[in-house]
Amino acid sequence: MIRRVTTPLLALLLAGWVVAQTTDMDPEQYCARRDDEYFRKDFGDPAEFASDYRANCGVYYRCVPAPAGKRSISASQCQSELFFDVQQQICERKSKVTNCEQIDKEHPPQPFWPLREGEESQCKSGEIMCGSGECLPQHRFCDENSDCADGSDENICTPDKDPNRADVCEPRTCLWSQGCFCSVDGTRIPGDLTVDQTPQMITITFTGAINERNFRIFQDVFKDTVKHKGNDCTPKGTFFISHGFSNYSAIQELNRVGHEIAVSSITNNDNPDYWSKLSALDYEAEMDGARLIIEKFANITANEVLGIRVPKQRVGGNRQFRMMVDWGFLYDSSISAPMGRLPLWPYTLMHRMPHKCLGNDQNCPSQNFTVWEMVINEMDRRDDPQFDERLTGCHFVDQCANIQSPEQFRAFLDNNLARHYRTNRAPLGLHFTSGYFETRRDFLREFVKWVRETALSGDYFFVTMQQVINWMEAPTELTAINNFQEWKGKCEVKGQPYCSLPNPCPKKVPRIFPNEEEMFLYTCMECPNTYPWLGDPHGNGFLDIPDF
């Protein structure tokens, strides 16, 4: 039996072996046009050197700065049971990696932009050269129309490369009176209030389908007997609804008692590429279609549903945000930000994003849009932030896999709240999938207790995403927050639900849910002819598809 032993000496030897692999690699050759991406060593013809590529599939390289303005090659290696997936730029299980012979991550054709230091354009002023060689006016790049012969004009539409990207924030010209708010680094308190006069807002969000089980949990979290000491209103949350399996009578009740209803698509498609590459027209069908379903079957007034969260947080770039402007959405809450010295406040996209576009192949917006971004700050999941070594954080609470006990969960909540409260009091976002507490009843009990105790302390307010924007548009000091009217609507709602026996509308939808014999759409409204879906949000019926 062979026993694998890991020791500091072995780790040092391994590190030395990896470094040795770069000795015959010429930085001038390898780093000529490579930026920050990882790559593999070029052994030659893959057909001839297949065994070398396979044997080194866990080793990957990167070009890094060196003295005198030069560059050198840094080598790393995945753990022994993993290979490096050069396309995904991550270490992955060996069985899932099929590109050991691929040297670089493949990219679609790129135009000659931005120009590197010392390079000169061969085009006239105001023009950019396509990857295929022709010159086009700058304004035709990233306009969602492929004008270059190779389509390269639409392949650089990122916040750092788009030639028509939004301007960097200029606080002197971004005025509240014109509906503009920006911050150079995203940490500025609106209205330039002092920290001690800024209310600490907390946004609790749930994303996914609403059903009978989790609806009861939400009633426990947001008890109508708990009130904020600062304004006597009950805590409120925001629910990003995905359509399939949702109970619209429960959604109607959540809206009645003052929670915000937002959308997270009709299909909730599991494929991340689907959302990153979706057209503006298809985003309209997914998001505005979901809004129409909610308005009709949860009996919610038009223009109340104003927020979007894309499934998997796979942002749809300029196409998504152009759709949002065209169809009157107020904000998105899909973009994550890395943890910095201070947490970030929400911002408008009338200026360039004040932080890095976080995520592998993430498709962030690059141009000017009159839309708010309710940024998802990275949370600290360490048990003791003061003494524990730094760990990669999490954006959804579901992602904090190291939290195993109610005591750890409580410490996690307290630590992250303290970080926001003691610095710039940017809103603390606690983001869950809708089913999070269904299998964590001990965490639920701790969370219910924490919400009650925090609300009663005085400086903290559990508010909706729209209420955060309301406050940012009219910054109000903590001493006057009891009279802030934008938080007084549905402050304390009593009374009975609109209906206690909703209509269970059964429909067979084999092409949408092949494993479900029958789907039930619970609503207090009249039943639709068929199960609402893409292209038919009112459920009138797809006359050309017999199965529906």
Side-chain angles (χ1 to χ4, degrees):
M1 176 179 178
I2 298 175
R3 177 177 297 174
R4 186 177 64 190
V5 180
T6 302
T7 65
L9 177 59
L10 182 60
L12 286 172
L13 290 172
L14 181 59
W17 178 86
V18 170
V19 170
Q21 304 312 298
T22 67
T23 56
D24 62 342
M25 298 173 67
D26 181 4
E28 299 226 356
Q29 173 191 344
Y30 276 93
C31 300
R33 289 197 67 87
R34 288 189 172 101
D35 292 319
D36 295 330
E37 290 179 350
Y38 296 104
F39 56 90
R40 287 202 179 91
K41 185 175 182 178
D42 187 350
F43 290 98
D45 184 355
E48 183 179 353
F49 297 99
S51 59
D52 292 300
Y53 284 109
R54 182 75 181 177
N56 291 274
C57 198
V59 184
Y60 53 101
Y61 305 86
R62 187 180 188 183
C63 292
V64 296
K70 296 184 178 181
R71 307 187 79 188
S72 63
I73 298 174
S74 172
S76 303
Q77 185 170 25
C78 301
Q79 296 177 12
S80 59
E81 67 273 17
L82 305 176
F83 277 164
F84 183 71
D85 187 322
V86 75
Q87 192 62 33
Q88 296 296 323
Q89 297 278 292
I90 58 173
C91 290
E92 184 61 270
R93 292 196 303 274
K94 291 183 177 181
S95 60
K96 297 184 69 175
V97 179
T98 60
N99 54 26
C100 290
E101 296 84 10
Q102 184 177 326
I103 305 298
D104 288 294
K105 176 178 177 177
E106 293 180 353
H107 290 280
Q110 302 283 301
F112 291 90
W113 179 272
L115 295 175
R116 296 176 181 272
E117 186 176 352
E119 288 184 335
E120 293 185 7
S121 175
Q122 299 180 32
C123 300
K124 296 186 299 184
S125 177
E127 293 186 340
I128 296 173
M129 181 180 286
C130 300
S132 45
E134 67 271 35
C135 295
L136 292 178
Q138 177 176 316
H139 68 81
R140 293 174 66 180
F141 284 72
C142 297
D143 63 355
E144 298 179 25
N145 297 305
S146 293
D147 298 308
C148 291
D150 59 358
S152 57
D153 55 307
E154 297 302 309
N155 295 334
I156 53 167
C157 306
T158 61
D160 58 334
K161 290 185 177 180
D162 185 345
N164 300 302
R165 61 190 184 275
D167 293 332
V168 174
C169 170
E170 176 47 75
R172 291 174 298 179
T173 59
C174 181
L175 306 176
W176 282 109
S177 59
Q178 298 175 4
C180 179
F181 171 76
C182 76
S183 171
V184 174
D185 63 358
T187 65
R188 169 189 166 201
I189 298 175
D192 295 322
L193 297 187
T194 60
V195 171
D196 62 336
Q197 279 302 313
T198 303
Q200 178 60 65
M201 294 173 277
I202 305 170
T203 55
I204 298 175
T205 76
F206 290 93
T207 303
I210 305 298
N211 55 43
E212 185 66 20
R213 297 185 308 277
N214 57 38
F215 173 67
R216 300 303 174 196
I217 289 172
F218 303 147
Q219 289 182 312
D220 286 339
V221 171
F222 301 102
K223 290 184 180 295
D224 59 8
T225 56
V226 176
K227 296 181 182 179
H228 297 122
K229 182 180 178 181
N231 67 357
D232 292 326
C233 293
T234 56
K236 302 294 191 292
T238 298
F239 295 83
F240 293 92
I241 308 297
S242 59
H243 170 53
F245 302 97
S246 274
N247 182 321
Y248 285 90
S249 64
I251 295 170
Q252 182 173 351
E253 177 60 12
L254 289 171
N255 175 257
R256 185 188 74 86
V257 298
H259 300 299
E260 179 187 359
I261 305 301
V263 298
S264 184
S265 82
I266 290 178
T267 67
N268 198 30
N269 193 304
D270 279 337
N271 181 0
D273 286 343
Y274 172 83
W275 300 105
S276 294
K277 300 175 181 177
L278 208 61
S279 70
L281 188 63
D282 289 332
Y283 258 108
E284 174 202 334
E286 285 276 11
M287 299 302 183
D288 190 56
R291 175 164 61 180
L292 291 172
I293 293 173
I294 290 170
E295 289 173 351
K296 181 174 179 65
F297 297 104
N299 194 26
I300 293 178
T301 306
N303 299 321
E304 279 193 41
V305 179
L306 296 174
I308 281 177
R309 176 170 287 160
V310 181
K312 315 299 179 188
Q313 294 176 258
R314 295 303 299 182
V315 188
N318 295 331
R319 295 184 297 274
Q320 174 197 332
F321 288 85
R322 187 159 290 112
M323 178 280 298
M324 293 179 66
V325 172
D326 291 344
W327 291 92
F329 284 100
L330 175 66
Y331 72 85
D332 169 77
S333 183
S334 308
I335 298 178
S336 298
M339 187 180 297
R341 185 178 59 88
L342 299 173
L344 301 186
W345 279 83
Y347 52 85
T348 68
L349 286 165
M350 297 170 71
H351 294 82
R352 207 174 306 169
M353 290 168 49
H355 61 90
K356 180 181 178 182
C357 182
L358 190 65
N360 185 36
D361 276 347
Q362 187 66 293
N363 189 9
C364 289
S366 61
Q367 298 181 3
N368 180 330
F369 299 103
T370 53
V371 172
W372 282 87
E373 181 56 46
M374 307 303 289
V375 62
I376 301 176
N377 282 294
E378 183 178 357
M379 292 178 287
D380 194 333
R381 60 188 178 93
R382 293 175 292 176
D383 291 334
D384 189 336
Q386 188 170 356
F387 297 104
D388 291 350
E389 64 181 62
R390 183 168 292 280
L391 298 173
T392 302
C394 46
H395 295 92
F396 267 55
V397 179
D398 305 57
Q399 299 165 344
C400 305
N402 65 308
I403 301 176
Q404 299 292 327
S405 69
E407 293 76 20
Q408 283 182 303
F409 185 48
R410 177 63 182 246
F412 164 80
L413 296 170
D414 287 337
N415 292 340
N416 281 279
L417 179 57
R419 177 173 181 263
H420 283 245
Y421 183 75
R422 293 170 184 170
T423 55
N424 63 349
R425 298 198 183 176
L428 170 64
L430 297 174
H431 309 292
F432 305 86
T433 57
S434 59
Y436 179 80
F437 288 112
E438 290 186 37
T439 57
R440 298 174 177 86
R441 293 289 172 164
D442 51 348
F443 281 31
L444 173 61
R445 288 189 291 271
E446 193 65 47
F447 193 56
V448 169
K449 179 181 176 183
W450 183 81
V451 169
R452 181 181 69 251
E453 293 175 357
T454 303
L456 293 174
S457 66
D459 292 351
Y460 308 108
F461 299 86
F462 294 93
V463 293
T464 68
M465 294 286 195
Q466 286 192 44
Q467 287 178 323
V468 171
I469 294 174
N470 293 152
W471 185 89
M472 292 184 68
E473 291 178 334
T476 301
E477 293 184 346
L478 189 59
T479 52
I481 204 68
N482 188 45
N483 297 318
F484 185 55
Q485 292 305 309
E486 294 293 346
W487 288 4
K488 287 295 187 177
K490 296 186 178 180
C491 174
E492 182 187 10
V493 179
K494 299 293 186 181
Q496 297 299 313
Y498 180 79
C499 68
S500 55
L501 291 173
N503 298 317
C505 308
K507 301 295 173 188
K508 292 183 179 180
V509 283
R511 291 196 181 182
I512 303 174
F513 300 102
N515 298 322
E516 301 293 328
E517 291 186 4
E518 206 166 32
M519 289 289 292
F520 285 87
L521 185 144
Y522 290 90
T523 176
C524 296
M525 313 307 289
E526 184 178 345
C527 288
N529 294 331
T530 189
Y531 197 78
W533 203 247
L534 283 178
D536 185 23
H538 289 161
N540 294 324
F542 293 86
L543 300 181
D544 57 336
I545 304 180
D547 286 342
F548 283 71

